[in-house]
Structures are given as structure tokens and as C-alpha cells.
Amino acid sequence: MTIKWTRESFLILLTLIMILVGIFYYGNQILVVPAQESADSSSSIVNDQKALMEVYPPDENLLAEYEAAYEETGAFLPIGEQANEAIVRLEELAGQSSVEIEQVSRIGFRQGVPEAGDSYFSSSYQLDMTGTSPADFRELMDRLVSEERVWNVTSFTYEKSGGSNYTGTLIFNIYYYMEPTE
């Protein structure tokens, strides 16, 4: 079979070639270019991560050191408020100091500590107590400030309530760390 090249056959062939070129061009723009850009982006991220791993290689000793430091500071600034544990410890210290706790009330909750960062908070409490002498109150204060956990006593007052009894009020903050939420 031979094709006779006429004007019509030449125009049909030219039209088919133009359609194929158009399909190739738009197919390349729609399918290949976005896939290539995505691959280049992923390749760039992988290269950046490899470079970062070369600069900061993982070190098991360093990780163990960080974990030990984290556990050590956990006693000072525990994760979460842990108010129940703090009040139980306060009652133990009061019992050792011959002070009777009348009431503990929260007067401030989850106040940010701007100097320390966005993950550190404090809660304020008021403690009403009775004792037989001011020395008992001072002994309780000494025991509080010698605790591992950070107790910040902001106000301490007492007065004679009649007979040999004294009443006192202690306002304190307990500090803690909260994991950032995303």
C-alpha cells in the first residue's frame, strides 16, 4: 500500500503530529513536572536531614546524660501540678512540726512563669494552721524551704488566738512543668 501525498494527506499528517506534540507538552506539564518537583522537594529534605545527622550524630551517652539530668530536676519541678502529692507532703511536714492544718485552699491556678518559658507554671495556695508556739510555724517554714520541690512562700503571718494557741496563714506557690501542647 502506498500513500499518495496529496494536500489532504499532508494536512492530516500535520494535524496528527500537532496533536501528538500537544499531548506530549500538556502531559509533561500536568503529570511529569509536579511529580518531579515533589521528588526534588523530598530529596532536598532527605539531604538536609542527612547533613543534620552528620553534624549532630546520635550519641547514647548523651541521651543517658540528658535523661539523668531530667530525672534529677523532676523532683524540683515535676511534670504536672501534682497538687495532691504536695498537700500530702505538706501535711507530713506539719505533723513533724507540731502544727495542725485547718484548711488548704487554692487561690491561683496555672499561672505562667514568663521568666522561665511557656512550659513552666505555678499554682498558689493558702494554708490556715494552728500551733502551740511561733517556733512550730518557723520549723514548718524551715522544713518547707529545705524540700527538694520548689515551694515559694510569699506570705507568712501568725497571731495569738487566746490561751497558748496561735493561728497562722501561709501563702505559697508550687512550681511545675507542663509538656507543650501542639
Side-chain angles (χ1 to χ4, degrees):
M1 178 166 143
T2 59
I3 299 177
K4 186 176 180 184
W5 289 100
T6 63
R7 183 190 273 196
E8 286 179 17
S9 62
F10 181 70
L11 286 175
I12 291 174
L13 181 64
L14 184 62
T15 304
L16 288 175
I17 290 173
M18 292 302 288
I19 289 173
L20 287 175
V21 168
I23 289 173
F24 173 75
Y25 177 76
Y26 287 112
N28 186 33
Q29 292 297 319
I30 293 172
L31 299 174
V32 176
V33 171
Q36 187 175 10
E37 289 174 354
S38 174
D40 290 342
S41 173
S42 297
S43 172
S44 172
I45 290 171
V46 168
N47 289 336
D48 290 345
Q49 289 178 349
K50 283 181 180 178
L52 186 63
M53 290 299 289
E54 289 174 5
V55 173
Y56 299 107
D59 186 3
E60 295 300 322
N61 294 335
L62 187 60
L63 177 62
E65 188 177 306
Y66 283 141
E67 287 176 348
Y70 187 72
E71 288 177 12
E72 182 180 313
T73 59
F76 299 109
L77 292 171
I79 295 177
E81 185 179 20
Q82 299 179 1
N84 293 339
E85 292 85 356
I87 300 302
V88 167
R89 184 63 186 150
L90 180 63
E91 288 175 347
E92 290 173 0
L93 295 173
Q96 294 171 2
S97 303
S98 302
V99 172
E100 185 177 326
I101 295 178
E102 297 295 323
Q103 177 180 339
V104 178
S105 54
R106 184 183 313 185
I107 56 176
F109 178 66
R110 196 176 289 169
Q111 301 159 342
V113 182
E115 306 86 37
D118 293 338
S119 299
Y120 297 94
F121 298 94
S122 72
S123 292
S124 302
Y125 291 88
Q126 179 175 330
L127 168 70
D128 297 325
M129 55 193 167
T130 59
T132 56
S133 74
D136 294 339
F137 296 147
R138 286 191 294 274
E139 182 180 345
L140 175 61
M141 289 285 297
D142 291 340
R143 289 180 191 269
L144 269 179
V145 296
S146 65
E147 281 289 300
E148 282 190 4
R149 181 171 185 163
V150 178
W151 296 71
N152 183 18
V153 177
T154 58
S155 174
F156 172 56
T157 58
Y158 63 90
E159 63 184 28
K160 191 166 186 154
S161 64
S164 62
N165 288 335
Y166 290 84
T167 60
T169 301
L170 179 69
I171 298 176
F172 61 92
N173 295 334
I174 54 174
Y175 293 90
Y176 53 95
Y177 175 80
M178 294 286 289
E179 293 286 338
T181 56
E182 296 181 35

